[in-house]
Amino acid sequence: MESKMSVLRRLATCVSAGILSAVPLVSIDAQEKPAADSQEAPAQLELRRTVKSREYQGKSVEGEERVVRPRDSLWRILIQERGLSEKRFKRYVILITSLNPNMKRPELLQVGDTLFIPITPDEILGLKAASEAAATKVTGVSGGNSYTVKPGDQLYKILREQLGIQDKAALQKAIDQLKALNPEKTNWETLLIGETLRLPGGSATAAVTAPLPVAKPAEEPGRIVGLDYGKKVTVQENLDLLASVMKVLGQETSREGEEVVPLRDGTVHIDRGSYPIIQDAKKKQRVLLDMQSKITAGLRSKMEADAPGLPIVSVKKGASLHEAVSGVLARLGFQSLPSNQPVVIQDNGVAVQIKGEWMVTPADEGGAVPQVLVISVTDAPGQTPDYLRDYLSLKGMNLKEILLPSNNSAPPPTAASLDGDKPPLRIENWPSDRAALVDAFLKDYGISFSNGGEFSVMLRDGIRMDAKMDRLFEYGGKKIAISFRALGEDLSKALQQSEGVRLVELGLPGLSSRDVLARLLAAIGEAATYREQRFQGNERAAKDKLTVGVSGYYLPQRSLLLTDREIPKELERFFGEKGLRVVRFQ
């Protein structure tokens, strides 16, 4: 089937599916806030993790057991989640490998495996002193005693008891210092039992009055800025970024020298440093940026009349970068699409949605179908896979990522680069025959079943009914029977009451394979709904920048996607890199 593209414009609805697993964590300190005396303190949510230990070089090491989830890698677990040093990553890998002798390939984790992750890897590697010295150097705040988190601990509780602080304002200052002294910890919503925190030094008074660093904290490495970045910054302070946006559109920005504009009444000399000129050398189009709207109405009128080839875009004082770029693009003949609405590529059974800070189409060029230019601002370039860029280009979408001028460092390696080249996705196919479909489902779940079972149940006084089931099995401590015939509600209730057997009827007329799977999933307790499942194109990008969606049942615990849609060959790799098994039913 040939791929067909339809470009739609509609409001994007972002569905964020969060999964709270049964892995026990420690109390979440964000739940405890200093409450007014007249108010009852809110109920505390406490989730706990059991500390385990293993031997390393003759010493006992405390840590936690982590179940590998889809798309997990050691880089993601240690650097992104735990906030450990990127420079020490190779040493961490050696340590993790020693503590997990059954791990075959550290660069390729297996979903479902259990990893032992030490709580204080730097301390085990003899790097604790260096870490503390670095924290003091960066923050300018000296550390006092170290504190080991205990069961039931919360941030406010630790500071009250260890530093004797009760005042709310003083508590907040102490929390800021605590975070500055522990830069390696990035997740302050959760405290882990056994982890060590460096507390502000000196007395309680000194702890809360010591000056905090005034320098702006560094951005998180590899964090992609939001899609509304251009609306939050002024164009006056970001002319370099404006020039970068113009460059990807084939425009040159000139801010040096003098622009000479001949008028009927004389010649105007314009300093390009104050009034940048943007031009398209090929089309011989030019635009003058009137920064802060300094050109008078009279002069503007004369220039527009005598020099129509140099239109003026007025930029008011404090105008945003987004507003200025949009004005220039309109003058250059680009047609802008709403930045808050995605462009959708519908390709067979898959919908690819893409958004950018600016989305434009060039001026009409002889009836040819124009490419949509999608422009995003980022401080971590090259995160969108090349094959996905190529696919978008084939469908008429040209993705351009503009690197912030202040960020010249190379991005950290992605999980995909650490895992190496993954094999292409092999889509499995389940049969359309109802009985064969049921057998394939049960086999995939590892459920043993019998091909029949006879029951004789009392429907009501004096009436007994004999019925034969087509499949009989136990799952999760429950007995489940499947019938490919319609047996009726009376028999279903009687089986449940007298035999403790749940009946799943699959003999109703018009029952599709989708309906069959829905009933099977419900019978074994899987909370899965058939709907469009959306997967992010780049985990470090804004959530709705680039997503790939396909309708079906998504079972994240099993990394399994059940779909009745056809996935284009060009996108099979995308689902493979997500660590998914894709099963297609008909």
Side-chain angles (χ1 to χ4, degrees):
M1 179 184 298
E2 295 184 357
S3 301
K4 296 182 179 179
M5 182 196 77
S6 60
V7 178
L8 309 175
R9 303 189 184 98
R10 59 182 176 85
L11 293 175
T13 302
C14 300
V15 179
S16 177
I19 302 170
L20 179 61
S21 66
V23 179
L25 302 173
V26 171
S27 61
I28 299 178
D29 69 273
Q31 298 294 324
E32 180 183 340
K33 302 291 181 185
D37 296 339
S38 60
Q39 295 180 350
E40 183 179 354
Q44 301 297 312
L45 173 63
E46 293 195 359
L47 307 170
R48 304 189 179 279
R49 176 184 285 125
T50 303
V51 176
K52 298 184 180 295
S53 62
R54 291 190 182 181
E55 185 174 323
Y56 177 74
Q57 295 184 351
K59 297 180 180 180
S60 179
V61 173
E62 291 186 340
E64 59 181 351
E65 290 187 345
R66 159 71 183 269
V67 178
V68 177
R69 299 189 290 265
R71 301 183 296 280
D72 267 349
S73 68
L74 287 181
W75 179 273
R76 180 174 182 176
I77 295 171
L78 299 174
I79 308 304
Q80 294 181 332
E81 294 183 6
R82 300 289 298 276
L84 299 176
S85 171
E86 299 176 25
K87 296 180 180 179
R88 300 170 179 171
F89 178 63
K90 291 183 179 180
R91 299 185 67 175
Y92 296 143
V93 172
I94 296 173
L95 174 61
I96 298 299
T97 304
S98 300
L99 291 169
N100 295 269
N102 294 328
M103 184 170 60
K104 297 179 180 179
R105 296 179 60 187
E107 76 280 3
L108 183 60
L109 304 183
Q110 298 296 319
V111 175
D113 284 356
T114 300
L115 291 180
F116 178 84
I117 307 295
I119 294 174
T120 56
D122 285 339
E123 184 176 350
I124 298 169
L125 295 170
L127 302 171
K128 182 179 179 182
S131 177
E132 289 180 349
T136 302
K137 181 178 179 181
V138 172
T139 64
V141 180
S142 61
N145 296 327
S146 295
Y147 179 82
T148 302
V149 177
K150 301 179 179 61
D153 273 344
Q154 294 168 331
L155 210 52
Y156 287 97
K157 178 175 179 288
I158 294 172
L159 294 175
R160 288 192 188 109
E161 295 180 354
Q162 300 299 315
L163 301 181
I165 305 173
Q166 299 298 327
D167 179 73
K168 295 178 183 178
L171 275 173
Q172 187 56 55
K173 290 181 180 179
I175 289 174
D176 292 338
Q177 286 192 333
L178 180 70
K179 293 180 178 180
L181 283 167
N182 297 270
E184 72 280 358
K185 182 174 177 63
T186 58
N187 181 9
W188 285 97
E189 293 183 354
T190 303
L191 299 180
L192 305 180
I193 296 175
E195 73 175 321
T196 301
L197 300 177
R198 291 181 288 278
L199 302 180
S203 63
T205 303
V208 299
T209 58
L212 294 174
V214 295
K216 181 181 178 182
E219 297 283 358
E220 176 187 350
R223 180 182 64 84
I224 304 291
V225 296
L227 288 170
D228 58 349
Y229 180 84
K231 297 179 181 179
K232 297 179 179 179
V233 299
T234 64
V235 63
Q236 187 69 44
E237 298 176 350
N238 291 273
L239 287 175
D240 288 341
L241 189 54
L242 180 142
S244 297
V245 175
M246 292 297 109
K247 185 176 181 180
V248 302
L249 293 172
Q251 315 295 317
E252 296 180 0
T253 303
S254 177
R255 286 184 286 163
E256 296 181 356
E258 187 178 72
E259 185 74 17
V260 180
V261 183
L263 303 179
R264 293 179 182 178
D265 298 336
T267 301
V268 177
H269 298 262
I270 299 176
D271 179 14
R272 293 173 182 167
S274 301
Y275 301 87
I277 300 293
I278 298 173
Q279 58 186 351
D280 185 332
K282 294 182 179 179
K283 298 181 179 180
K284 298 182 179 180
Q285 293 177 315
R286 302 199 306 162
V287 170
L288 183 148
L289 278 182
D290 179 12
M291 305 303 298
Q292 301 185 20
S293 300
K294 293 181 178 180
I295 299 178
T296 64
L299 179 57
R300 180 188 180 102
S301 178
K302 288 184 178 181
M303 291 179 63
E304 289 179 344
D306 297 348
L310 185 62
I312 300 172
V313 173
S314 180
V315 179
K316 297 179 180 179
K317 184 177 181 180
S320 70
L321 174 66
H322 183 92
E323 181 182 356
V325 170
S326 298
V328 172
L329 295 179
R331 282 301 187 120
L332 291 172
F334 289 90
Q335 180 181 358
S336 295
L337 306 180
S339 60
N340 62 342
Q341 300 177 14
V343 174
V344 182
I345 303 170
Q346 194 68 44
D347 192 354
N348 291 337
V350 174
V352 180
Q353 291 190 6
I354 184 169
K355 290 176 67 175
E357 179 90 47
W358 298 276
M359 297 189 294
V360 298
T361 57
D364 184 19
E365 297 181 355
V369 178
Q371 282 236 334
V372 177
L373 301 175
V374 182
I375 306 168
S376 297
V377 180
T378 175
D379 63 359
Q383 299 299 322
T384 303
D386 289 340
Y387 75 88
L388 203 50
R389 287 175 178 273
D390 293 341
Y391 170 80
L392 292 171
S393 181
L394 288 173
K395 301 301 178 181
M397 302 289 118
N398 195 345
L399 176 60
K400 300 289 187 181
E401 292 179 328
I402 309 299
L403 178 64
L404 290 176
S406 59
N407 190 341
N408 297 316
S409 59
T414 62
S417 66
L418 289 172
D419 289 346
D421 293 333
K422 294 185 177 182
L425 175 70
R426 183 178 66 85
I427 297 180
E428 303 172 41
N429 289 283
W430 282 357
S432 57
D433 177 76
R434 191 165 299 179
L437 176 62
V438 170
D439 292 349
F441 176 89
L442 296 177
K443 181 180 178 181
D444 194 78
Y445 268 84
I447 298 174
S448 299
F449 60 90
S450 60
N451 288 324
E454 294 187 359
F455 292 91
S456 181
V457 294
M458 188 71 70
L459 298 181
R460 54 183 56 87
D461 291 343
I463 302 178
R464 176 178 295 276
M465 181 175 180
D466 297 332
K468 182 178 181 180
M469 302 299 139
D470 295 291
R471 302 288 187 272
L472 188 63
F473 61 91
E474 288 191 20
Y475 188 83
K478 299 178 181 180
K479 294 181 179 179
I480 301 173
I482 295 176
S483 173
F484 298 132
R485 300 173 301 282
L487 299 178
E489 185 177 351
D490 289 341
L491 180 61
S492 178
K493 289 182 178 179
L495 270 176
Q496 183 67 51
Q497 293 173 358
S498 63
E499 304 292 337
V501 176
R502 175 174 178 174
L503 176 61
V504 179
E505 290 187 87
L506 301 179
L508 300 177
L511 206 64
S512 66
S513 295
R514 185 189 304 178
D515 299 327
V516 169
L517 290 175
R519 295 191 174 207
L520 291 173
L521 289 167
I524 64 174
E526 285 280 19
T529 304
Y530 184 94
R531 61 179 179 82
E532 186 181 57
Q533 313 291 343
R534 303 213 65 82
F535 302 94
Q536 197 167 334
N538 174 15
E539 293 180 6
R540 280 198 287 273
K543 287 192 300 184
D544 53 353
K545 175 183 175 183
L546 177 59
T547 62
V548 179
V550 59
S551 295
Y553 299 102
Y554 176 43
L555 306 167
Q557 301 284 0
R558 295 172 55 81
S559 301
L560 177 63
L561 175 64
L562 301 173
T563 180
D564 53 357
R565 304 302 177 90
E566 182 178 348
I567 295 178
K569 286 288 184 183
E570 298 90 342
L571 293 178
E572 290 182 358
R573 179 176 173 180
F574 173 84
F575 293 97
E577 289 186 348
K578 292 294 178 184
L580 290 174
R581 283 182 56 228
V582 178
V583 174
R584 187 167 183 262
F585 61 90
Q586 301 177 1

